[in-house]
Amino acid sequence: MNLSIVAKQLELTDAIKAYIEEKIASFQKFHLDVIAVKAIVSSSERNGKKGFGIEFIIQLAGKDTVVINQIDKDLYAAIDLAEERAK
């Protein structure tokens, strides 16, 4: 499985990267033929409120690509919610 993690308007720390890798590794237990996963982490501010977004683009062999977007005020909560939606 190929893994790509990209950050937009946010510094990608080792802790964030490790957390995302851990969550993506949990997809393996479903025994799907995952070809590649791209995780895009972003930071945004609307109406004076800061928020974080995570997008998982999951490519499965022989199936359509799955795209999951999640936004939350806490980055780790957004990652957790996106993982739950992927499952």
Side-chain angles (χ1 to χ4, degrees):
M1 171 176 61
N2 293 328
L3 173 61
S4 172
I5 302 173
V6 178
K8 294 181 180 177
Q9 301 172 349
L10 175 75
E11 181 183 347
L12 186 61
T13 64
D14 290 338
I16 295 170
K17 188 175 178 180
Y19 195 73
I20 292 171
E21 289 172 349
E22 174 187 325
K23 296 299 179 178
I24 290 173
S26 71
F27 297 164
Q28 295 293 343
K29 69 182 176 184
F30 295 108
H31 303 292
L32 296 172
D33 194 7
V34 178
I35 297 171
V37 178
K38 183 172 187 177
I40 303 170
V41 184
S42 62
S43 174
S44 64
E45 189 171 331
R46 291 188 183 164
N47 301 328
K49 295 183 180 180
K50 191 169 184 176
F52 298 96
I54 181 80
E55 179 178 29
F56 287 146
I57 303 170
I58 306 167
Q59 294 178 342
L60 302 171
K63 295 185 172 66
D64 292 333
T65 299
V66 178
V67 179
I68 299 168
N69 290 303
Q70 188 65 49
I71 299 173
D72 199 284
K73 61 184 175 185
D74 178 30
L75 176 59
Y76 290 96
I79 295 168
D80 289 340
L81 290 169
E83 177 203 19
E84 287 299 315
R85 290 179 59 198
K87 288 180 180 180

